[in-house]
Amino acid sequence: MAAITASISKGCFVFKPSIKKKKRTLDAEDYFINGSDDCENGKQRFLLCQELWEDMKSETESVQDDLNKKVLDSLLEFARKSTSSFMSREEDWASHMRASEIPVAALVLGVNLTDHNMTFQSLSDRLQNSVTPFVVSVQAKECAAVKYLLQKVLQRLTGVSVDKDEEETSTDLPPNSAHCSLRSLCDWYKTVCKNSSGSSPGEKRSSSEMEFSANPPIIVIFRDLEAFSPRVLHAFILICSQYTQQLPLLFIFGIATSLSTVQRMLAHSVTSLLCIKLFQFSSCTKHLATVIDKLVLTPKFPFKPSGKVLQVLVGLFLYHDFSVHNFIKGLQLSLLEHFHDQPLSVLCCKKQEAVVRAQQLNHQEVENIRQLPSFMRFVEQQEPQEQVELLTSDEHVKEVCQKLLKGLHRYHKNFFPILRCLHVLTSSLPKYPLGKQIRELHVTCLEKDVWETEDYESAMQLLKILAKDELLTVLQNCVETLKSGKTKELRDALKHLQDLKDRLQQLDAFTDPSALGGHVEGRENECFSENGLQKKTDLFQLQKTLLQMKECRKTKKRSPFELLRNETIEYIDSLVKMHLTRPESQPLYEVCYCTSSGTLRHHLNATPRTSIQTALAHPYYYLQNEALRSETGAISSAAPDICIVYKLHLECGRLINLYDWLEAYCMVVTAADGEDSDPSEKGKFDEIRRACFIRAVSELEFLGFIKSTKQKTDHVARLTWGGC
Amino acid sequence: MSAPLHPGYADDRVRLLIEKLPCRETQLNTLLALMGEPEQYCYPSIFIYGHRATGKSYVIQTLLRELELPHAVVSCVECVSAGILFEQVLRSFFGSAYSSSNALPRKPSLSDFIRLYRQLCVQFPATQTRYIILDKAELLRDMDANLLPGFLRLQELVEDNVTVILLSEIVWDKFRPNTGCFEPLLLHFPNYSKAELQQILARDTHPAYSPELYSSYINILLGVFYSVCRDLRELRHLAALNFPKFCEPLETGEAKEKDAHKLWRNIEPQLKKAMQTVYLREVSSVQWEEQQSAEGEVAELRGLSSHDHVELPYYSKYLLIAAYLASYNPARTDRRFFLKHHGKIKKTNFLKKHEKTSNHLLGPKPFPLDRLLAIFYSVVDSRVAPTASVFAQISSLVTLQLLSQVSHDDQLDAPKYKCAVSLDFIRAIARTVGFDVVRHLYDFLLRPDRHADRACRRVTTCPLLLILSRRTLSFQMYAGPPLACDSPIPAASRFLRPPDVSEKMQK
């Protein structure tokens, strides 16, 4: 290279990058392979991960379709109806009299703006498939003025690209401005309709065109109504209203907040031109609940997020964005994390496959298994003979591993139905001791053994005082939820519960409830009558009577219903204790559970301020330079200037004297250099140092830690507190 | 034979016109007199003004159509650029000649238009006066500055027999450019009186019923709506919507056409309800009709403004509350509300005079991002890390129009915002997170100088209370035609304090 550039005269030399050297961009698979030592393993995990994600993705899509099907269908119906009313307009007296209004469908979609794109995409697809080929969707940021809005609408409808004013393209096109009026749209529409209703089915849209009615409506979708400027909308609606006789227009407003924004944005003179119908989409919390139900609370997918991970994701959803789309992305990220970081995730797949894979484990992987905490716990519980076997023989580990994997799958199959069962039982209780939503209960169950919590206790207490009809309905619900269970245990449980329910129902037939009630009341009356004698009650006596009453209750013979009720609750309790153990207690749970909630939070919930502070306070964290690895508190002179300046400023008060600061800075820097300062140079600072200092200070100012103040000229004001 | 009504025009035509344009005879005669005979030059520009639906465009258009005079009708709202306007005029005067000959350049100016007009005019000189009608002429003011003056003296500029007629809802005084211009002739179209409205509305009778019945129906309708709405178009619409209900007893045989009282009793509550719902477009016309046909079992239709509930993420709610507090509290009171040991605010002259008036009457004030975040962190009950998503939420609140950005978009340094939600709204939000927003508002705080303060408040709120007591009425007054105001009605209602708060203030 030196040879080429060796030239007598100065000059610039251009080196084109040689093609060979071009870096191949890494795709996801490479990361997987590079990240692990075992190439084969990495590849396998990557494939598994992709496969699993495809399944989950299709599941979420179907969930979304189902959820909004009803609303979308009614919207399509509305669009069709508005067309037919356009056709039959001429003759009727009433329609002649009525002011011509533009039909408007107002879609209230919720504040999760990121999710809207998908909805609108599916909406416009459906409209195009079944109602009309003329669907335009516009966004506020494209339409700063009416001119642009009109341009966009026309462009997308007619498919002709209208060029920007500057560009001169084909000369035979009429001038731009003329092209973009609704009048030209009208002409275009007439010709299109004539063509389609006329003959020549051989044209491009032949087959689909036939399905539409003679005058398919022109649908304009305003994706984000709130962001549109009211003036633009105003003008556009006024213009369109002049053409309602010729064009079957239909607007769709995508509203994120509430319907009243329409009134807030548009004047009465404009809203009186519209005929608004409301379509309310299902709320995002409901959407989330279904997504969790379908993706997480099911044994269908072997991958499971741990309680912490779920908390991070749900917390992000509830506290920050309400976006289901982001939730699903977060889930995808945790899936990737899991398959990337956990080498044993090769076993995270369908049962049969996992068993086969377990058979093919190599020595390294078996060693990995032995290192798993859950497996070590498992080993400790075994007989000494077995322990030795497990620690020495790979083959034996593989066999045990297969058994354990089967056990894990079985555990999941039992876990979720019982979880639902418990939720059904407790969700109707007052104050929701175990959470209103099933996801809360789920997280509790993942974190710890649920029966050890106080909330569970109180829930059981409440269950034990349920009335008969309530108990029957919740039992019925339980039976319904358990019916989907396939394992032997669940079938047994179902049978038992059914049996209990039948017995409860038959109770009516055997005992006369009134007699029973009378009996109990009688006993209680006895208690009371005893007390009733003592007219004057003081505190002591009150206590005594209460104690007596308690005794009275205890000794009281329980009715058959109460006995049965207790039996039922105890049975459910035993079910919970058997099946709802926390996943950590299961050996090999690490295979399926993603536990890296920290990284997830780190990636999803970015904290710019904290990272800046970390960078300034601990430069080693980012720079990874050994010289910077200092003991806490000390200011290393090797650190970048800004770090030194930052650390020094932490020690100051509200106002910082720049000169003192500079002195301190020079002290730190020179101290490290080891030169003892020359007495003659004292007070005079090296110019380079001063420049470094000034630059660091202005960088700090740029980052917003200090600002100049008018109170004192040679001072700056500090803007942040703490962190010293 | 008597003298012709207007020379130059056939008598029967003119009679037909008078027949077609009821209650506008005077205006018609003035116009015809102004126009003179078709071949004669007319005054260069005429400015016609009047409220909505007083028949301005209708009169002019029927007149020119019936008399078969050459004219071009252009609605200025459609003309997003001057080019469209010019083109529409040229097209309707010269038709095919225009498109075949040289077209307007890409961004035509007024002089391009005049040049082309004169060229074409040489080929096709005017035999009769040509009329250019510019509807919604107030929008001309927003276009190029030379457009309006140019059109006013177009006759002079193109040297052709052409007259420009401007139609507007705004008086001429608001048009006059400060550089001066040619003054057009002014012509006012007054509002229709009640009798005139009755006469006009009664003309479109339903074919299946007698004209007398329809006329009595219109009478009832006007009785209810006249105080609120004088817009002919709107009244016609309402008449059409409610007529089936009026005829219901006739069809079922419960009443005859003569039983005026019975019919009135049947329709009156219906019309009253219509005034509160469909007239304000709280309920759309189609929904209204559906409700009528499915009478009885249908539950009450909820109006648009009742859908005021917005679901927000948890921190967004707190951000919004913080924004509201920042917007309506003076910045100096922040210490009082958000510091633990703030002490009492003792000085009576703590606040400047202008701050003593209720901030809710003055509207939201802008605040910088720093203040918003400071209040947010002290209001929110848990420790929140300043993550990127908190900042993202602020911008998403701006897109939702719950906050509005006051400073320019380019200002990244310290953006300023305003809170754009009402007290009702913020109280509903605050209730969901269990935060007492009223206790943190300076306006609702009992200040030490209680008496003076109360007096001051009474003064400021008295007119408001008056309005409140007639809240629904005022609602309609805003909407009614006497004010040609551009502000939407709900916005007007938002200025009013919710009743419960004002009660609190009275105590």
Side-chain angles (χ1 to χ4, degrees):
Chain A
M1 192 162 288
I4 310 169
T5 54
S7 161
I8 302 166
S9 61
K10 277 187 182 176
C12 292
F13 299 89
V14 178
F15 294 103
K16 279 191 177 169
S18 58
I19 303 156
K20 276 181 215 162
K21 273 188 182 171
K22 215 173 194 176
K23 240 185 170 179
R24 201 169 65 90
T25 46
L26 294 170
D27 57 5
E29 193 175 347
D30 296 324
Y31 283 109
F32 265 87
I33 294 165
N34 296 342
S36 63
D37 335 319
D38 190 354
C39 175
E40 194 53 39
N41 181 307
K43 216 174 253 175
Q44 256 180 9
R45 275 187 284 149
F46 177 66
L47 288 179
L48 257 182
C49 173
Q50 274 202 321
E51 206 176 296
L52 199 57
W53 176 242
E54 283 305 316
D55 286 353
M56 287 169 101
K57 206 169 136 196
S58 60
E59 186 79 39
T60 52
E61 273 159 14
S62 72
V63 164
Q64 187 142 26
D65 283 350
D66 290 348
L67 208 63
N68 291 327
K69 197 168 181 302
K70 218 169 143 194
V71 188
L72 285 178
D73 282 346
S74 62
L75 182 61
L76 294 188
E77 189 51 42
F78 172 74
R80 274 190 215 109
K81 225 161 132 192
S82 72
T83 334
S84 56
S85 70
F86 174 77
M87 308 228 316
S88 67
R89 188 172 280 171
E90 280 84 46
E91 308 88 49
D92 205 2
W93 172 84
S95 53
H96 167 70
M97 284 281 294
R98 273 172 51 175
S100 48
E101 293 173 318
I102 306 171
V104 173
L107 304 188
V108 179
L109 293 159
V111 297
N112 42 345
L113 294 165
T114 39
D115 292 6
H116 294 181
N117 284 342
M118 277 194 293
T119 321
F120 279 117
Q121 195 53 49
S122 72
L123 173 66
S124 61
D125 285 349
R126 270 156 169 261
L127 282 172
Q128 260 165 349
N129 285 334
S130 62
V131 182
T132 167
F134 311 127
V135 182
V136 204
S137 104
V138 284
Q139 274 176 311
K141 61 178 173 218
E142 317 168 317
C143 314
V146 198
K147 194 171 151 191
Y148 303 121
L149 177 56
L150 279 174
Q151 254 178 25
K152 283 277 176 288
V153 169
L154 259 83
Q155 224 175 75
R156 285 174 194 172
L157 272 180
T158 54
V160 179
S161 67
V162 180
D163 298 292
K164 291 267 146 57
D165 299 9
E166 299 83 38
E167 289 174 50
E168 286 280 345
T169 45
S170 50
T171 43
D172 53 326
L173 265 177
N176 174 26
S177 53
H179 213 82
C180 283
S181 67
L182 224 60
R183 190 165 289 189
S184 55
L185 180 67
C186 240
D187 298 339
W188 171 84
Y189 183 75
K190 266 177 209 149
T191 52
V192 167
C193 280
K194 214 179 272 170
N195 283 346
S196 67
S197 61
S199 55
S200 68
E203 279 182 41
K204 44 184 175 176
R205 287 214 199 93
S206 56
S207 58
S208 59
E209 194 88 20
M210 290 292 111
E211 294 162 22
F212 304 125
S213 55
N215 289 320
I218 293 176
I219 299 182
V220 184
I221 304 177
F222 297 87
R223 284 192 173 204
D224 38 357
L225 190 78
E226 278 92 352
F228 275 91
S229 107
R231 281 186 64 189
V232 171
L233 273 182
H234 226 108
F236 186 71
I237 292 171
L238 276 181
I239 294 172
C240 286
S241 70
Q242 292 174 355
Y243 289 92
T244 42
Q245 301 299 328
Q246 293 133 52
L247 287 175
L249 283 162
L250 174 80
F251 292 163
I252 295 179
F253 288 168
I255 300 173
T257 48
S258 66
L259 246 191
S260 51
T261 35
V262 177
Q263 291 195 324
R264 206 167 55 201
M265 287 177 74
L266 302 174
H268 179 244
S269 59
V270 178
T271 38
S272 66
L273 298 171
L274 304 175
C275 179
I276 301 173
K277 186 158 192 230
L278 169 72
F279 293 91
Q280 182 96 41
F281 270 60
S282 60
S283 74
C284 45
T285 36
K286 204 172 138 201
H287 192 173
L288 178 79
T290 15
V291 166
I292 289 186
D293 202 59
K294 288 275 162 17
L295 288 188
V296 180
L297 301 178
T298 165
K300 196 172 153 192
F301 303 108
F303 167 75
K304 302 269 176 291
S306 74
K308 286 250 169 54
V309 170
L310 264 184
Q311 268 173 337
V312 169
L313 292 178
V314 171
L316 263 184
F317 176 87
L318 288 179
Y319 286 115
H320 290 295
D321 55 8
F322 265 2
S323 161
V324 179
H325 182 246
N326 284 356
F327 178 83
I328 294 169
K329 283 280 169 232
L331 209 60
Q332 187 185 7
L333 181 65
S334 67
L335 181 84
L336 272 173
E337 269 304 324
H338 177 62
F339 276 94
H340 183 258
D341 287 350
Q342 178 58 263
L344 282 174
S345 55
V346 266
L347 297 175
C348 181
C349 49
K350 297 256 154 50
K351 194 165 114 188
Q352 290 82 8
E353 231 176 300
V355 169
V356 174
R357 288 239 166 109
Q359 192 59 54
Q360 296 160 351
L361 290 176
N362 59 26
H363 176 71
Q364 177 59 38
E365 284 163 331
V366 170
E367 208 50 48
N368 278 339
I369 287 181
R370 286 200 186 112
Q371 316 260 296
L372 288 182
S374 66
F375 192 76
M376 291 203 297
R377 275 199 297 275
F378 170 75
V379 170
E380 276 161 26
Q381 288 159 10
Q382 305 302 314
E383 306 281 309
Q385 176 61 33
E386 179 76 7
Q387 278 186 3
V388 173
E389 191 87 337
L390 277 173
L391 290 176
T392 50
S393 158
D394 279 7
E395 282 309 309
H396 188 69
V397 170
K398 281 183 197 172
E399 250 162 58
V400 171
C401 184
Q402 285 176 16
K403 233 180 272 165
L404 290 177
L405 281 174
K406 279 181 193 162
L408 197 61
H409 280 271
R410 174 166 290 259
Y411 161 75
H412 282 146
K413 275 186 185 158
N414 292 331
F415 184 85
F416 293 109
I418 300 289
L419 183 75
R420 278 171 212 276
C421 221
L422 183 62
H423 176 67
V424 163
L425 279 173
T426 55
S427 62
S428 58
L429 294 176
K431 282 194 181 169
Y432 312 104
L434 286 176
K436 203 172 177 180
Q437 305 277 348
I438 193 167
R439 57 166 189 259
E440 298 164 35
L441 181 60
H442 180 219
V443 168
T444 329
C445 289
L446 289 180
E447 296 275 283
K448 48 198 164 222
D449 289 328
V450 67
W451 58 88
E452 282 168 4
T453 60
E454 275 177 33
D455 293 332
Y456 181 80
E457 293 271 302
S458 62
M460 283 297 142
Q461 294 284 330
L462 284 171
L463 277 178
K464 277 180 188 164
I465 52 166
L466 273 189
K468 190 172 156 200
D469 48 345
E470 286 173 320
L471 189 64
L472 269 176
T473 46
V474 291
L475 269 187
Q476 179 61 37
N477 289 340
C478 272
V479 169
E480 292 296 326
T481 48
L482 281 184
K483 264 179 189 162
S484 59
K486 290 191 184 69
T487 58
K488 190 169 146 291
E489 291 91 339
L490 286 183
R491 273 191 302 252
D492 287 347
L494 178 64
K495 224 163 146 196
H496 200 120
L497 276 181
Q498 195 97 46
D499 181 45
L500 281 168
K501 201 188 87 188
D502 290 343
R503 274 164 60 196
L504 265 174
Q505 268 167 343
Q506 280 160 7
L507 219 55
D508 275 336
F510 292 137
T511 55
D512 190 0
S514 65
L516 186 74
H519 176 68
V520 175
E521 261 172 44
R523 288 207 53 117
E524 233 161 277
N525 281 347
E526 266 172 49
C527 280
F528 274 111
S529 58
E530 276 171 39
N531 304 334
L533 292 175
Q534 303 159 337
K535 291 267 156 89
K536 263 187 176 174
T537 44
D538 51 14
L539 198 64
F540 175 69
Q541 270 169 348
L542 189 70
Q543 245 172 5
K544 217 167 83 181
T545 45
L546 283 176
L547 271 177
Q548 267 178 357
M549 273 168 75
K550 216 175 178 183
E551 292 279 296
C552 181
R553 288 258 167 81
K554 262 186 194 163
T555 52
K556 189 171 69 186
K557 207 184 119 218
R558 285 190 175 149
S559 69
F561 164 65
E562 284 169 318
L563 287 174
L564 201 54
R565 182 169 65 189
N566 280 358
E567 193 188 333
T568 318
I569 305 300
E570 262 147 36
Y571 180 66
I572 288 168
D573 189 41
S574 74
L575 273 183
V576 167
K577 280 183 180 153
M578 184 150 56
H579 296 298
L580 285 190
T581 52
R582 70 206 157 100
E584 268 111 282
S585 64
Q586 300 292 318
L588 292 189
Y589 86 100
E590 288 95 337
V591 167
C592 291
Y593 283 82
C594 166
T595 47
S596 53
S597 64
T599 21
L600 209 60
R601 181 177 290 140
H602 191 73
H603 285 304
L604 292 180
N605 208 357
T607 51
R609 175 132 227 132
T610 333
S611 350
I612 288 177
Q613 265 165 349
T614 326
L616 291 176
H618 310 283
Y620 176 75
Y621 186 83
Y622 287 108
L623 296 176
Q624 300 283 320
N625 185 344
E626 281 307 317
L628 299 177
R629 193 172 219 166
S630 64
E631 55 278 20
T632 49
I635 304 174
S636 155
S637 62
D641 295 330
I642 187 170
C643 295
I644 300 172
V645 170
Y646 172 76
K647 282 210 173 162
L648 287 171
H649 113 285
L650 286 181
E651 290 160 13
C652 299
R654 204 178 74 81
L655 286 176
I656 307 171
N657 187 330
L658 272 176
Y659 187 79
D660 294 347
W661 202 3
L662 172 62
E663 247 177 357
Y665 167 77
C666 285
M667 197 101 88
V668 170
V669 177
T670 47
D673 289 353
E675 334 159 345
D676 30 15
S677 47
D678 198 355
S680 65
E681 278 185 27
K682 205 166 197 179
K684 269 171 77 187
F685 301 114
D686 189 357
E687 276 190 3
I688 295 176
R689 261 173 219 153
R690 200 153 51 186
C692 283
F693 173 75
I694 292 296
R695 192 178 65 180
V697 168
S698 63
E699 274 170 355
L700 267 194
E701 188 173 356
F702 177 70
L703 289 174
F705 286 96
I706 52 167
K707 69 169 185 184
S708 58
T709 168
K710 278 173 192 145
Q711 293 172 355
K712 287 180 179 173
T713 41
D714 55 346
H715 283 63
V716 286
R718 196 180 154 187
L719 294 174
T720 53
W721 305 104
C724 188
Chain B
M1 203 174 155
S2 60
L5 286 169
H6 290 279
Y9 305 103
D11 272 2
D12 50 341
R13 284 257 172 107
V14 176
R15 287 220 183 76
L16 189 72
L17 265 180
I18 294 172
E19 171 72 19
K20 273 200 168 181
L21 305 170
C23 314
R24 280 286 171 250
E25 220 169 313
T26 9
Q27 282 80 18
L28 185 68
N29 283 331
T30 323
L31 270 174
L32 279 172
L34 269 176
M35 283 156 62
E37 289 178 34
E39 300 80 25
Q40 293 168 343
Y41 268 55
C42 173
Y43 199 77
S45 47
I46 303 171
F47 182 83
I48 301 177
Y49 66 100
H51 276 305
R52 282 183 81 201
T54 45
K56 300 180 296 287
S57 341
Y58 182 66
V59 166
I60 288 287
Q61 287 186 25
T62 353
L63 177 71
L64 295 174
R65 209 172 40 239
E66 290 298 321
L67 298 179
E68 290 169 359
L69 296 168
H71 63 278
V73 185
V74 184
S75 168
C76 290
V77 84
E78 232 176 294
C79 302
V80 287
S81 64
I84 297 181
L85 204 164
F86 299 149
E87 200 186 292
Q88 284 194 13
V89 171
L90 291 175
R91 223 175 254 283
S92 48
F93 281 161
F94 305 107
S96 53
Y98 159 69
S99 48
S100 61
S101 74
N102 48 350
L104 282 164
R106 273 211 157 221
K107 277 217 158 187
S109 65
L110 186 66
S111 51
D112 286 326
F113 167 67
I114 286 165
R115 181 177 47 79
L116 202 64
Y117 191 101
R118 291 174 82 146
Q119 274 176 19
L120 289 163
C121 204
V122 173
Q123 293 173 35
F124 308 91
T127 50
Q128 294 177 320
T129 315
R130 287 171 171 150
Y131 293 96
I132 298 175
I133 298 154
L134 300 176
D135 207 345
K136 300 214 167 48
E138 61 268 17
L139 291 167
L140 278 182
R141 296 178 299 173
D142 303 335
M143 295 191 196
D144 293 343
N146 64 351
L147 211 57
L148 181 62
F151 267 110
L152 286 174
R153 52 197 333 155
L154 192 68
Q155 197 176 69
E156 214 173 296
L157 292 170
V158 297
E159 293 171 340
D160 185 29
N161 187 1
V162 64
T163 293
V164 178
I165 301 176
L166 302 161
L167 306 180
S168 176
E169 289 175 24
I170 300 177
V171 291
W172 171 246
D173 288 346
K174 306 267 175 194
F175 275 72
R176 207 172 274 133
N178 46 13
T179 49
C181 67
F182 183 82
E183 291 283 317
L185 275 183
L186 306 185
L187 187 58
H188 179 51
F189 274 49
N191 278 349
Y192 291 113
S193 70
K194 193 173 180 182
E196 284 171 337
L197 281 175
Q198 160 89 30
Q199 194 190 336
I200 297 167
L201 283 170
R203 279 158 65 95
D204 18 52
T205 50
H206 197 283
Y209 299 95
S210 71
E212 289 78 35
L213 178 80
Y214 194 75
S215 176
S216 65
Y217 167 64
I218 291 300
N219 206 359
I220 297 171
L221 185 87
L222 279 179
V224 175
F225 278 102
Y226 183 70
S227 58
V228 168
C229 170
R230 290 160 202 203
D231 186 335
L232 190 59
R233 182 178 164 279
E234 205 50 16
L235 283 170
R236 260 165 71 105
H237 182 69
L238 287 166
L241 280 185
N242 291 306
F243 193 58
K245 174 79 179 174
F246 180 73
C247 298
E248 215 169 60
L250 295 176
E251 303 214 324
T252 52
E254 279 173 37
K256 297 216 175 58
E257 288 200 9
K258 295 277 179 293
D259 302 341
H261 187 67
K262 213 170 196 175
L263 289 174
W264 176 78
R265 254 205 336 238
N266 177 40
I267 194 67
E268 222 251 343
Q270 171 86 0
L271 290 179
K272 285 244 166 88
K273 211 164 103 195
M275 185 160 75
Q276 277 156 16
T277 54
V278 71
Y279 168 62
L280 292 174
R281 292 302 187 279
E282 287 274 306
V283 171
S284 74
S285 333
V286 171
Q287 279 174 320
W288 178 252
E289 278 183 333
E290 276 168 8
Q291 193 197 16
Q292 275 188 359
S293 54
E295 194 69 48
E297 79 276 16
V298 171
E300 192 74 354
L301 264 177
R302 298 208 300 148
L304 285 188
S305 51
S306 63
H307 293 279
D308 211 6
H309 172 69
V310 178
E311 264 185 61
L312 285 174
Y314 188 72
Y315 289 148
S316 295
K317 285 179 184 170
Y318 270 112
L319 277 172
L320 200 58
I321 291 171
Y324 191 84
L325 295 179
S327 250
Y328 285 98
N329 280 347
R332 301 200 271 164
T333 58
D334 283 353
R335 270 173 72 84
R336 156 76 182 75
F337 288 115
F338 305 114
L339 280 188
K340 263 184 190 151
H341 308 292
H342 54 77
K344 283 264 158 59
I345 301 173
K346 274 173 199 154
K347 284 184 190 166
T348 43
N349 55 357
F350 169 69
L351 287 174
K352 286 178 191 146
K353 208 162 202 176
H354 68 270
E355 281 172 335
K356 278 188 181 162
T357 47
S358 166
N359 287 301
H360 279 81
L361 288 178
L362 295 172
K365 292 195 180 55
F367 53 85
L369 177 66
D370 303 345
R371 191 168 162 229
L372 170 68
L373 286 177
I375 297 180
F376 169 69
Y377 286 121
S378 64
V379 160
V380 77
D381 48 2
S382 55
R383 271 181 67 96
V384 193
T387 60
S389 23
V390 170
F391 294 104
Q393 279 178 66
I394 296 175
S395 55
S396 87
L397 283 176
V398 173
T399 11
L400 294 177
Q401 300 268 293
L402 297 174
L403 297 184
S404 60
Q405 191 162 359
V406 185
S407 57
H408 196 266
D409 282 346
D410 296 343
Q411 195 188 347
L412 299 172
D413 197 17
K416 283 192 168 181
Y417 302 94
K418 258 185 188 182
C419 186
V421 299
S422 64
L423 182 62
D424 274 346
F425 186 91
I426 206 72
R427 287 176 76 187
I429 292 276
R431 208 174 301 131
T432 57
V433 290
F435 179 81
D436 189 359
V437 76
V438 172
R439 263 190 48 207
H440 287 80
L441 280 172
Y442 185 70
D443 280 354
F444 302 114
L445 210 64
L446 278 183
R447 277 174 271 174
D449 48 343
R450 204 178 285 173
H451 294 289
D453 183 57
R454 199 188 277 172
C456 136
R457 233 183 241 178
R458 194 165 292 152
V459 170
T460 50
T461 52
C462 251
L464 257 183
L465 289 176
L466 252 177
I467 297 173
L468 277 176
S469 60
R470 311 188 326 231
R471 191 171 178 180
T472 40
L473 198 66
S474 64
F475 226 90
Q476 291 139 15
M477 277 164 60
Y478 274 112
L483 293 165
C485 71
D486 282 347
S487 74
I489 323 144
S493 77
R494 233 137 264 192
F495 283 112
L496 306 179
R497 227 175 255 249
D500 47 350
V501 180
S502 50
E503 277 162 28
K504 191 176 274 175
M505 290 186 314
Q506 273 185 322
K507 272 173 204 168

